[in-house]
Amino acid sequence: QVQLVESGGGLVQAGGSLKLSCAASGIIVSIDVMGWYRQAPGKQRELVATITSGGSTDYAASVKGRFTISRDNAKNTVYLQMNTLKPEDTAVYYCKVGARSLFNRSDYWGQGTQVTVSS
């Protein structure tokens, strides 16, 4: 079983910055894709950014140029640096990790962390 622990959310004014972290623990053989998603009230969960084990990244158009995803493979941790935040970035942010344990490969979700951007 793999556990994900997120941190770094909070309240920030428009134009400010936050950095989210998501650390995976448990019996992990390998981790492939790591990503961040978000869900605003009344909306569907949407992709924010992903990063492969090789470091290739992909971003939603709405965050490109403002957010940066990175990972530390030694720590099984993925980060999301969020700059120039806008009120429309307000959402619960979830990390998602594709991990292989001793017996299978599954996708795991974090518990979510609230990001609120005030205007």
Side-chain angles (χ1 to χ4, degrees), residues 20-116:
L20 307 182
S21 300
C22 173
S25 63
I27 303 175
I28 300 171
V29 174
S30 63
I31 294 177
D32 43 69
V33 176
M34 308 180 86
W36 289 95
Y37 294 71
R38 67 186 181 187
Q39 187 167 18
K43 295 187 177 181
Q44 290 188 331
R45 191 172 298 188
E46 63 176 1
L47 172 70
V48 176
T50 60
I51 184 168
T52 68
S53 57
S56 296
T57 59
D58 190 27
Y59 295 93
S62 59
V63 307
K64 196 171 292 186
R66 299 188 297 121
F67 291 10
T68 302
I69 188 170
S70 61
R71 62 191 282 170
D72 184 333
N73 291 328
K75 296 181 179 179
N76 289 336
T77 300
V78 61
Y79 305 96
L80 186 68
Q81 177 67 47
M82 305 184 292
N83 298 328
T84 319
L85 282 160
K86 304 175 181 180
E88 50 264 43
D89 295 318
T90 295
V92 178
Y93 284 70
Y94 299 90
C95 65
K96 179 183 175 184
V97 171
R100 180 171 296 279
S101 64
L102 290 176
F103 305 107
N104 59 18
R105 185 219 175 267
S106 295
D107 288 323
Y108 298 90
W109 289 91
Q111 80 280 7
T113 186
Q114 177 70 47
V115 171
T116 303

Side-chain angles (χ1 to χ4, degrees), residues 1-21:
Q1 189 71 8
V2 176
Q3 297 81 39
L4 302 180
V5 177
E6 300 180 25
S7 61
L11 172 65
V12 64
Q13 288 188 333
S17 299
L18 283 174
K19 187 174 183 177
L20 307 182
S21 300

